Amino acid sequence: MFEYVKGQLVSIYPTYVVVEVHGVGYQIFMPNAFGLQEMLKQDITVYVYQAVREDAITLYGFKSLEEKQLFLKLISVSGIGPKSALSILASDNSEGLIQAIETNDVTYLTKFPGVGKKTAAQIVLDLKGKFTDISKPVLENHIPVLEISPILAETKEALLGLGYSEREIKKVLPQLEKEHCQSTDQALRIAFKLLLGSK
């Protein structure tokens, strides 16, 4: 139903942003939401996909039309829903993902959250050779975060979006892993204490 939403970026959370359009705040779930930190309180255009279920209507957003096209390809695969597709986009850059699909690298694909061997094989079967219409890099400047848990991956992206360096984040990741955080908010609180304590 919606192609894009254009308005002021008023809030950024670990998994979603709020864009205000004519007095209405739209909750839009995005991969690496904190990557939009520099656009806070400014007008932005977010390409969206509307998912309708019996119990919810959800908007998923993307920085570019190409990123949205890749998301649509992913959710066309049996076993990949919108949330899974968003996690995949948040966990890797487009070139690595597309290359894995084109080279039948099932092992690489199973590193994504919620993707087992059967689903990875289905991704290759359904999508190999179908990326010719995506002509430019979909996700730019994204850091692969495949070797850590989804919560820590999200935490790392949030810290990068807030201006912390790779070196600073790598110093606190081992401690965060020991804490076995149950949410991104919890991990961020601990990370801030560790980062501020190290300065």
Side-chain angles (χ1 to χ4, degrees):
M1 179 179 178
F2 298 112
E3 177 66 19
Y4 61 85
V5 171
K6 186 175 184 179
Q8 186 182 62
L9 177 63
V10 295
S11 303
I12 301 176
Y13 298 91
T15 57
Y16 68 90
V17 300
V18 177
V19 178
E20 183 176 328
V21 183
H22 300 303
V24 178
Y26 290 89
Q27 181 187 48
I28 305 174
F29 290 87
M30 298 186 68
N32 307 308
F34 280 108
L36 294 174
Q37 191 73 30
E38 293 182 357
M39 297 298 294
L40 191 60
K41 305 304 180 184
Q42 299 183 38
D43 286 342
I44 65 169
T45 298
V46 180
Y47 292 89
V48 295
Y49 168 79
Q50 183 183 26
V52 180
R53 300 188 333 191
E54 291 183 4
D55 58 344
I57 298 176
T58 308
L59 288 177
Y60 296 92
F62 313 94
K63 298 176 186 176
S64 68
L65 184 57
E66 290 77 22
E67 187 177 27
K68 178 181 176 180
Q69 289 172 339
L70 182 51
F71 171 85
L72 292 175
K73 288 183 185 298
L74 287 171
I75 63 173
S76 73
V77 177
S78 177
I80 300 291
K83 289 184 179 180
S84 296
L86 215 63
S87 295
I88 292 172
L89 292 179
S91 299
D92 198 18
N93 60 62
S94 62
E95 292 181 358
L97 172 62
I98 293 173
Q99 182 178 0
I101 294 171
E102 295 294 352
T103 58
N104 300 310
D105 193 345
V106 172
T107 301
Y108 183 97
L109 295 174
T110 57
K111 294 180 181 180
F112 292 114
V115 178
K117 289 186 177 180
K118 183 177 179 180
T119 301
Q122 191 67 48
I123 291 173
V124 172
L125 180 65
D126 290 354
L127 298 184
K128 185 177 180 180
K130 295 183 178 180
F131 294 100
T132 54
D133 56 335
I134 299 180
S135 58
K136 64 180 182 179
V138 180
L139 305 178
E140 297 177 356
N141 301 321
H142 282 202
I143 307 299
V145 289
L146 299 177
E147 301 302 328
I148 55 179
S149 72
I151 287 175
L152 291 187
E154 206 167 67
T155 301
K156 181 178 178 181
E157 287 296 330
L159 291 171
L160 286 169
L162 290 170
Y164 288 98
S165 68
E166 278 276 340
R167 181 176 299 179
E168 289 175 310
I169 297 170
K170 284 181 180 179
K171 286 182 179 179
V172 302
L173 278 179
Q175 184 60 39
L176 289 177
E177 289 177 349
K178 293 178 183 178
E179 296 289 341
H180 301 293
C181 299
Q182 300 300 308
S183 69
T184 303
D185 287 340
Q186 180 189 4
L188 281 171
R189 285 196 297 270
I190 296 172
F192 289 143
K193 289 181 182 178
L194 293 170
L195 288 164
L196 292 172
S198 65
K199 290 186 177 181

